[in-house]
Amino acid sequence: MPVVNPEKLIALQRSADDVRNICILAHVDHGKTSLTDALIATNGIISPKLAGKVRYLDSRPDEQLRGITMESSAISLYFSMSRRAGAGEVHVQKEYLINLIDSPGHIDFSSEVSTASRLCDGALVLVDAVEGVCSQTVTVLRQTWVEHLKPLLVINKIDRLIRELKMSAAEAYTHLSKLLEQVNAVIGSFFQGERMEVDLQWRERVEERVAAAAAKEQEKLEKKAAKTSSSVTSAETESAVTDGVDGEFEERDDEDLYFAPEKNNVIFSSAVDGWAFTVRQFAALYEKKLGIKRSVLEKVLWGDFYLEPKTKRVLGSKHLKGRALKPMFVQLVLDNIWAVYEATTGGNKGKGDPAMVEKITKSLSLSIPSHVLRSRDPRALLTAVFSAWLPLSTAVLVSVTEYLPSPPLAQASRLPALIDASPAAGNISSDIRTAMIDFHADPKAPVVAYVSKMVAVRASELPQNKRKGGGLMTADEAREIARKKRAEFARARKAAEAEHQNVVNGMTDALDSTTLDEEQEAEPQEEEEDPEHLIGFARLYSGTLSVGDEVYVLPPKYSPANPHAAPEPPKVMVTGLYLMMGRGLESLTSVPAGVVFGIAGLEGHMLKSGTLCSQLEGAVNLAGVNMGSQPIVRVALEPENPGDLDKMIHGMRLLEQSDPCAVYEVLESGEHVILTAGELHLERCLKDLRERFARCEIQAGEPIVPYREAIVSAAEMAAPKDKNLPRGTVVVVTTSRQVTIRLRVRPLPTAVTEFLESNVGIIRQLYAERKAKEIGKHGAVEEVEESAEHQDIDASAQGANLVSMIEFKENLQDTFAKAATTSDTWSTVVDKIAAFGPRRTGPNVLIDVTGSCQKFLQEEQQAHQQDSNLPNQSQQSDVLTAKDFSDKISYAFQLATAQGPLCSEPCQGLAVFLEEVNIAAPSDEEVSSRDLSGRLTGEVIKTVRDSIRQGFLDWSPRLLLAMYSCEIQASTEVLGRVYGVITRRRGRIVSESLKEGTPFFTILSILPVAESFGFSEEIRKRTSGAASPQLVFQGFEMLDEDPFWVPFTEDELEDLGELADKENVAKRYMDKVRVRKGLPVKGRKLVRDAEKQKTLKR
């Protein structure tokens, strides 16, 4: 294959209609990188013989070692094909630029998929023909649906149906039909969910319009009610109202959403064997032979259509009349492919047939080199026949250019929904909206680009630091290399001579022969480093961007409603533009709209992702990407050499910028912690830290797994600590004996806890609105401080339609009412909620019975009335009231729920009732109560925090474990070993199903995150690589075991003994966390069997 010159690719960027931006998405090990290799081979970058073996875009050594992709990589490819505008016209050569992004399939790196999909207009979704629809397949299909990408389905690894499952062509057709139905079922579920949501919104709009029209009609009736209109009934009124409302619901057609081979959006392939085809290709092959139009053949080659042998007519299933005919797809397509496999590799026979190979090559008019025909390697013959008959690159790239849209068409259909879903979409400038949707690429148009992630590139790999000219070098470069080579040879010769002498003479000669100049030359070579530079991975939506241009860098929290909010987005100058070519970069001077490119100059101004815009007012924020996986595994790091601490901190900051999912934190204890998505992601981050970013030896501690603390009402609970008070009630007095507080801790109903967990974004938004009203639109320092802690709104919550306070209050009221029983008072507590916690958004509530605290879900008029009346009274008198300590009590509630009494982990499902607050007058009459408020502040906070923890322990405490959802595909031979590993790690089997037509079982299980480290490696070892798990964080699940339980009944003491031979798993988890945090552990023995120390003297 001829090598394509980069200048040709750069020239094609100017023709937007001939550009295609696509990404390859699939489950892990479904053949993405092998397919990409075959496409790269068409540009002469790698040899076609090595396609599928080189894995060119897997540029990291650990990617090559593990055989999986860990980072999304982009490359630009050239493709040309001859097209005819109409029948009888001359063929015209058409050239295309394909910007291809290969993404990872492992769940730990699903954030790379999220960042890659926003840059593209179409997607190749690969599905393994044997494994079928897997967990990540559903995830990437959902990603294409959310990002409004046009997908193209590639059913890969069809060769496994022949080699492994030994299927016939008819069985393979049935299997592929069911697989296609499974994929379409996933798409249908997305459409159905969206349709139900749209239908609900439409009904709400109709009801609002009907109510508004009814109100207007009622006003008219009241004005005319004096004489004639009094006899009008309500039914007549309703009919009059509904006549003016458009009651028709427009059904969206879902026909174009599904995959169907006759629509040219399904490709059948085997990337490892280098072949692929579409129904359209075989329709062109059989058009003249059967005398049937190509358009007709495209519709009948797939499905229940049959070819009558004598008349060559196409029959439906109804007209078979009992004849055993094969479907046309089997007869005309699959039988021929099965014949090639049988002739070359022998198929089920195990030996090829040279005579059949010759017959096939003649009938298909294929020219196979003679040395390949004589080859003893049947695989070489197989790939040679298929590459000449059904080349993979042709089928894929032709389908991409014909079916997937160009940037102008894609932006016109995709961007309106994405812009409307961005934060404060109503404040976006009309010029920017028009330029993006209508694809204005002229230099005067506003520049809008989205940077999906930052890529770390070594300085030596930048184009300006590489030697150019096709291997030629200047005279100075040649002399410098020759000088270094001579110095190396001289040192090697002197070292060899020194070996023949004694040690002392050898050392003396070496010191004598070494000059100061050589040492000074050698030292910089040893200390010379190759620093890392961060380059933005971006897509330009409008305008033209050139080197030297200045653009604003908009962070993900930017809102066009308040563009100058602190910190104000910086304006930076573009220092470099690059064409992404896989393992290399090519310099660009300017980039037109619709192109995927690399951009330099953003280092230090952008953390992970953001939007670039030429103007600040009215700019759009496109950075609201929902990451596929959130970081759950924390690890504390420290350098082996304490002097390398600054290096490690600098490296961790670089890692946080270059990795979309990694997060760097410094805990209150001073530990430097990194958060990753999983164990494999952690290994990759540590490797990058040691070898690229920090370049020093780093020690990693044990993974820090999050827990949650809760309480339940259990039968084996001990008696309340105070028998005269209800369980969980605590009456405490501050150390000054001036404030007495009574509160009660109770477990929240499970339904309420789940409701609060699922509406965290709404609570955070309501709190932000309330805080903004208190501070004002232009707040001072307090607003900045609060925004640093509480403005980290999730990307999903930013784009969601958040409900109002009234709607949230009604939903919460309904949830409490459903959970209430006859003896409970939950149905009346919503109006008394003063705060949520921890961090003011968690699933714990502070319920104020005394009326001293400001209510969180209070209507604006009531809140204004309370603020205008009550504080003024307290200000006029010197007597302290309970309202003066309302904010202190709320703060103590946040502290108590953020660090529970078991192991200082966040609490969940607590309801704290503030029942009484009494303040006594000071004993000294000369000192007023208000003068002592400063001292009482700390006392109240500490007392309330400790009393909440004391009330917590009055119930039966529980730990909630972080859980993984584990999916494993395994054959029947290794099923028992998989079960053994899961059970040994305290996992639980949820379901087990046999994939129809295959010998593989799909096992779904739940596994604690604390027990998951080393789980993947153990599964692979036990099954000899036959099974590999996919772990997805699912949430927290309660461990139904009291960590403080000890046997106390006669039966328990008789069965278990005083030391409780049965291990308390909850206590083990709790003690492990307490040891890590430096908290005291009850019953822990540092020395179990002590002996007297023996010395040499005694």
Side-chain angles (χ1 to χ4, degrees), residues 614-680:
S614 55
Q615 66 186 56
L616 190 57
E617 288 78 8
V620 61
N621 182 7
L622 298 173
V625 175
N626 188 14
M627 296 301 173
S629 60
Q630 298 299 324
I632 186 66
V633 178
R634 296 185 179 196
V635 173
L637 306 179
E638 64 177 4
E640 288 189 1
N641 180 10
D644 294 334
L645 181 61
D646 292 338
K647 277 186 178 182
M648 189 191 76
I649 294 174
H650 176 70
M652 292 178 78
R653 287 175 180 161
L654 276 177
L655 175 67
E656 185 183 23
Q657 286 183 288
S658 63
D659 195 305
C661 196
V663 178
Y664 165 55
E665 287 183 353
V666 180
L667 301 183
E668 295 179 357
S669 59
E671 291 178 294
H672 298 274
V673 172
I674 185 170
L675 280 77
T676 59
E679 190 178 6
L680 184 59

Side-chain angles (χ1 to χ4, degrees), residues 382-439:
L382 175 72
T383 54
V385 172
F386 274 124
S387 61
W389 179 33
L390 300 172
L392 183 144
S393 57
T394 302
V396 173
L397 294 179
V398 168
S399 298
V400 165
T401 55
E402 291 182 349
Y403 183 75
L404 298 184
S406 60
L409 295 175
Q411 291 188 195
S413 60
R414 284 184 66 211
L415 290 189
L418 292 179
I419 293 174
D420 293 338
S422 63
N427 298 308
I428 297 174
S429 170
S430 58
D431 295 338
I432 289 181
R433 182 186 290 267
T434 305
M436 293 175 67
I437 295 175
D438 297 342
F439 196 80

Side-chain angles (χ1 to χ4, degrees), residues 170-190:
E171 292 171 342
Y173 170 70
T174 305
H175 180 81
L176 294 174
S177 302
K178 292 179 179 178
L179 176 58
L180 197 58
E181 290 175 2
Q182 293 174 5
V183 178
N184 285 331
V186 176
I187 297 291
S189 66
F190 300 154

Side-chain angles (χ1 to χ4, degrees), residues 162-163 273 275 336-358 360-361 366 368 372-373 375-386 389:
I162 305 173
R163 292 183 175 128
D273 290 337
W275 61 266
N336 294 325
I337 293 175
W338 259 244
V340 172
Y341 272 95
E342 189 172 349
T344 53
T345 62
N348 296 333
K349 299 178 182 178
K351 188 178 181 181
D353 188 352
M356 184 179 280
V357 171
E358 186 178 356
I360 291 173
T361 53
L366 304 178
I368 308 297
V372 176
L373 292 172
S375 174
R376 295 184 178 181
D377 184 9
R379 192 169 183 79
L381 180 58
L382 175 72
T383 54
V385 172
F386 274 124
W389 179 33

